[in-house]
Amino acid sequence: MKAETKTQLISVGSVNMDPSLIHWLTIPTAGPGAGNVAFFFSSGGHRVRLAVKKESPLQAEMENGELVIRKDGVEIARGDIEEELIHCPEQAFITMCEKCVFDCKFCPVPKLEGKIKTMDEMLGMIGKANETGKMHAISITSGVEISPESEVDRAEELIRRLRETYSVPIGVSVYPTEDSTPRLKNAGADELKYNVETMDRPLHKKLCPDQDLEFILQSLEQGVEIFGRNKVCSNFIIGLGESDKSAKEGIEELVSIGVVPILRAAAKHPLREGELTVERPSAERLLMLNRFLREKLDEYGLRADIFKTMCLPCTGCDINPHSDLE
């Protein structure tokens, strides 16, 4: 599987297959893909996460111990179904709160009856993951149950307690508060992610009415000052109605302040039907924007392939411009 094939798979985002073939089926609980059954597919040093959907134009079946993916009867990729630890391979990726009071129009989480994990439950999950010997990092994310401040409180406590036991890298992704960045760093976090969602100002105001993009950008800039370069990233959804020009301007704005953007393909969800127009980006658009992103990262001296936690080392949902592109 080459980068072009991976972008083709991401642009579709799903396969039609027998779920019983998969031993590590999971249902994501955070972000636009929440609620979909998904698995990790690995081939030729590349990894992609695919949802299982009967209506997918891609067909997958096992042949001689490998998963073979075809479109219109033509093979496009073959490889392995990859074992997950928690949410992704080699990481204990914990969603503290699977609910959210923010009403971002592309995200199903506010519509789902997600759970809120207790501190003991999260510590227990990470302890079991560590016992496998396969845990190379811990990542923490969260919705917003009551307020961003309460989630930062919980993240800070969880990170402090984890640092008493574990020396692996810890990454954290929450909605920022006035003092969240120094608090999370002092607690023991190594990497930080505050999500802009979209850098198109009019779209952000429309689709994320409860969030303040300018405050998020200020917090990201502070994050680079406190955590350092190549330690701060941000999800940037592509396919919400932004133009290529807008996307490129947003990429350069983030990179210029030392932030590594993660270009996430927009996904339609039935719980958000009629609330927004989503056009999942084509493989060609994903490649074009990620090649532009790589140029800008190189120009500003940033790397996407040296992060240790969260989405950039996983690479399942996105193109990593340094590890996926030649």
Side-chain angles (χ1 to χ4, degrees):
M1 180 167 67
K2 295 183 178 180
E4 290 77 9
T5 305
K6 177 172 174 175
T7 53
Q8 184 179 0
L9 294 176
I10 290 176
S11 70
V12 176
S14 63
V15 294
N16 179 11
M17 63 181 291
D18 181 357
S20 68
L21 297 175
I22 307 168
H23 300 292
W24 300 285
L25 271 175
T26 62
I27 300 178
T29 57
N36 292 321
V37 173
F39 70 98
F40 285 91
F41 173 73
S42 180
S43 173
H46 299 278
R47 173 189 292 149
V48 62
R49 188 176 207 179
L50 296 167
V52 179
K53 295 184 177 180
K54 289 184 178 180
E55 64 271 22
S56 175
L58 303 180
Q59 305 289 323
E61 58 187 355
M62 295 297 294
E63 292 182 6
N64 301 319
E66 290 186 307
L67 188 72
V68 181
I69 300 176
R70 293 183 172 89
K71 183 177 183 180
D72 299 326
V74 178
E75 180 181 321
I76 59 174
R78 66 170 57 222
D80 301 311
I81 297 171
E82 196 170 1
E83 182 177 2
E84 297 180 31
L85 193 56
I86 299 178
H87 184 68
C88 68
E90 301 181 340
Q91 293 190 53
F93 208 134
I94 300 291
T95 302
M96 298 191 303
C97 171
E98 299 168 13
K99 298 182 178 182
C100 196
V101 297
F102 289 168
D103 189 29
C104 295
K105 303 305 180 183
F106 50 80
C107 184
V109 171
K111 307 283 188 178
L112 296 170
E113 290 299 320
K115 68 177 295 184
I116 298 159
K117 297 180 181 71
T118 67
M119 193 63 58
D120 286 344
E121 184 179 4
M122 292 186 288
L123 292 170
M125 291 171 68
I126 293 168
K128 288 181 180 178
N130 184 59
E131 289 173 2
T132 68
K134 299 176 181 179
M135 187 179 79
H136 300 310
I138 299 169
S139 296
I140 299 160
T141 189
S142 188
V144 179
E145 180 194 6
I146 299 169
S147 69
E149 287 78 13
S150 65
E151 300 304 330
V152 171
D153 289 344
R154 290 227 301 156
E156 181 183 30
E157 180 185 353
L158 177 58
I159 294 166
R160 287 192 184 281
R161 294 185 65 174
L162 291 171
R163 271 288 166 247
E164 295 172 359
T165 305
Y166 306 107
S167 59
V168 298
I170 297 177
V172 59
S173 175
V174 292
Y175 189 82
T177 66
E178 290 292 343
D179 61 355
S180 59
T181 303
R183 286 174 59 190
L184 295 170
K185 177 63 175 176
N186 291 336
D190 299 289
E191 295 175 352
L192 180 72
K193 178 148 73 85
Y194 294 144
N195 293 329
V196 295
E197 312 298 6
T198 179
M199 286 293 288
D200 186 296
R201 262 73 174 183
L203 272 177
H204 195 282
K205 186 175 181 179
K206 177 182 176 182
L207 299 178
C208 303
D210 306 312
Q211 298 192 19
D212 183 342
L213 179 57
E214 303 311 320
F215 176 66
I216 295 170
L217 290 169
Q218 292 168 14
S219 300
L220 283 166
E221 192 165 11
Q222 183 191 44
V224 175
E225 294 172 359
I226 291 176
F227 278 75
R229 292 169 62 80
N230 296 314
K231 299 287 187 181
V232 180
C233 57
S234 183
N235 282 2
F236 184 161
I237 302 173
I238 302 297
L240 296 178
E242 75 292 329
S243 65
D244 288 343
K245 180 176 182 291
S246 170
K248 288 181 176 180
E249 289 173 350
I251 287 169
E252 181 145 26
E253 183 175 352
L254 287 169
V255 172
S256 70
I257 61 173
V259 175
V260 176
I262 301 165
L263 304 186
R264 176 69 46 86
K268 295 180 181 179
H269 198 286
L271 291 177
R272 287 298 189 173
E273 194 69 38
E275 295 190 58
L276 76 163
T277 300
V278 172
E279 184 176 348
R280 195 167 179 90
S282 66
E284 292 75 18
R285 189 177 191 217
L286 284 172
L287 273 175
M288 180 272 294
L289 289 176
N290 274 287
R291 284 173 175 149
F292 177 82
L293 170 57
R294 176 163 176 161
E295 290 176 7
K296 291 302 171 183
L297 291 172
D298 291 345
E299 179 182 334
Y300 285 89
L302 295 171
R303 298 291 305 186
D305 57 350
I306 62 175
F307 282 72
K308 303 297 184 185
T309 70
M310 299 182 286
C311 300
L312 284 167
C314 174
T315 75
C317 300
D318 320 286
I319 295 294
N320 183 305
H322 282 120
S323 60
D324 281 321
L325 298 180
E326 296 179 357

